[in-house]
Amino acid sequence: MPEGDTVFLTAAGLRRALVGKTLVRSDFRVPRYATVDLVGERVDEVGSYGKHLFIRTPRVSIHTHLKMEGIWRTYCVGERWTRPRVTARLVLATDDTEAVGFSLGKVEAVPRAQEHLVIDHLGPDLLGPNWDPAVAVERLQRYPDQAIGVALLDQRNLAGIGNIFRSEVCFLRRVHPATPVRDVPDLLALVNEAHRILSEAAHSPPRRELVYGRQRRPCQRCGTPITVRPLADTTPASDRITQHERGIYFCPRCQPPPE
């Protein structure tokens, strides 16, 4: 699933293509919004929050989420699309540009005044102007028994981290991903590390992973083969959103398991 840096960069590309222009066509290819017509609306802003992307006109905020396979592409009017037309879920066109969202996981049009309802439940955005590490730490500490590798994926704690960056953050801080939140030696430093590497990926791409995707290859610090293991949320908390098991990468020597 694309992470916060990918969504941030996608928003930047759409901003260059659309902001300040008037829509001459809007085609929502999802049943609930099929009748929405934004022709004549000017695109005021394009922004992101964690893994959520917003294209804003004076009346409407178009909210999309890439989920697993979604991607946005921009074309000159008349240019051939490079992806199957049947996978297009949203088309926004100006006089000279077509912005096409393919295989988007979520598409909705909400009144501008209600956009906040989409993200109110989320933690602070790692790439946002109001990023607050203290709030992220406080949210992580609400479930002290939860494994840090699982807690970092919960967007209600901090928004923007996915499987790649949780592996990288834990490696850089020498923390085993199964370590309970309460036992992480310096939670604020870990949160600041997450902000640093995600910002680096968003503003100075590309970034080469240190552990993610490197199973059985030598650790770049000690030479021990990198391991990948599933990590599920086993916290007995009734209000947690169920996390699917996903493989997390770590060095068994640099990141010793919790006792």
Side-chain angles (χ1 to χ4, degrees), residues 3-250:
E3 306 195 24
D5 61 319
T6 299
V7 180
F8 182 90
L9 292 168
T10 298
L14 290 173
R15 192 177 303 122
R16 291 189 295 269
L18 296 175
V19 167
K21 299 179 182 180
T22 299
L23 296 176
V24 298
R25 178 188 174 205
S26 67
D27 185 1
F28 288 77
R29 300 182 180 184
V30 292
R32 182 175 179 181
Y33 300 100
T35 60
V36 172
D37 185 359
L38 299 180
V39 171
E41 294 270 336
R42 176 187 170 95
V43 178
D44 289 338
E45 303 171 5
V46 179
S48 63
Y49 192 103
K51 300 179 183 181
H52 301 259
L53 192 147
F54 299 92
I55 301 170
R56 304 178 180 107
T57 74
R59 292 189 303 113
V60 173
S61 181
I62 304 164
H63 167 229
T64 63
H65 195 297
L66 302 180
K67 294 293 178 73
M68 292 300 294
E69 299 178 350
I71 192 168
W72 276 96
R73 287 287 183 263
T74 58
Y75 305 94
C76 295
V77 171
E79 183 181 357
R80 182 180 178 181
W81 295 356
T82 53
R83 291 188 169 245
R85 300 183 74 88
V86 70
T87 64
R89 299 198 70 205
L90 177 58
V91 183
L92 301 172
T94 69
D95 285 333
D96 59 3
T97 301
E98 286 183 324
V100 187
F102 296 99
S103 303
L104 299 175
K106 189 173 188 64
V107 177
E108 61 181 346
V110 298
R112 281 286 295 269
Q114 296 179 19
E115 178 187 299
H116 68 95
L117 298 177
V118 176
I119 57 175
D120 277 350
H121 67 291
L122 299 176
D125 178 12
L126 280 151
L127 296 176
N130 299 319
W131 161 248
D132 190 336
V135 173
V137 168
E138 186 276 327
R139 292 201 173 200
L140 286 166
Q141 290 175 331
R142 292 179 182 179
Y143 295 91
D145 295 332
Q146 189 174 47
I148 187 62
V150 172
L152 288 172
L153 278 188
D154 191 334
Q155 303 300 293
R156 297 176 299 173
N157 293 329
L158 60 172
I161 289 182
N163 205 33
I164 295 174
F165 284 102
R166 69 164 178 166
S167 296
E168 300 291 287
V169 169
C170 289
F171 175 75
L172 287 165
R173 294 302 305 168
R174 296 176 179 263
V175 173
H176 192 284
T179 303
V181 169
R182 67 172 184 276
D183 293 335
V184 174
D186 190 338
L187 199 55
L188 179 59
L190 183 143
V191 164
N192 285 332
E193 188 76 77
H195 178 248
R196 182 189 69 79
I197 65 171
L198 202 63
S199 297
E200 181 182 279
H203 296 289
S204 303
R207 181 184 182 280
R208 187 166 62 180
E209 281 71 43
L210 299 173
V211 288
Y212 182 82
R214 291 176 52 84
Q215 63 268 36
R216 296 187 296 276
R217 297 176 65 184
C219 169
Q220 296 183 47
R221 279 197 296 239
C222 71
T224 302
I226 297 298
T227 297
V228 59
R229 291 284 186 273
L231 185 66
D233 188 355
T234 58
T235 305
S238 59
D239 64 336
R240 305 302 287 174
I241 295 176
T242 300
Q243 300 277 359
H244 296 291
E245 287 193 12
R246 301 181 195 174
I248 189 166
Y249 299 79
F250 61 95

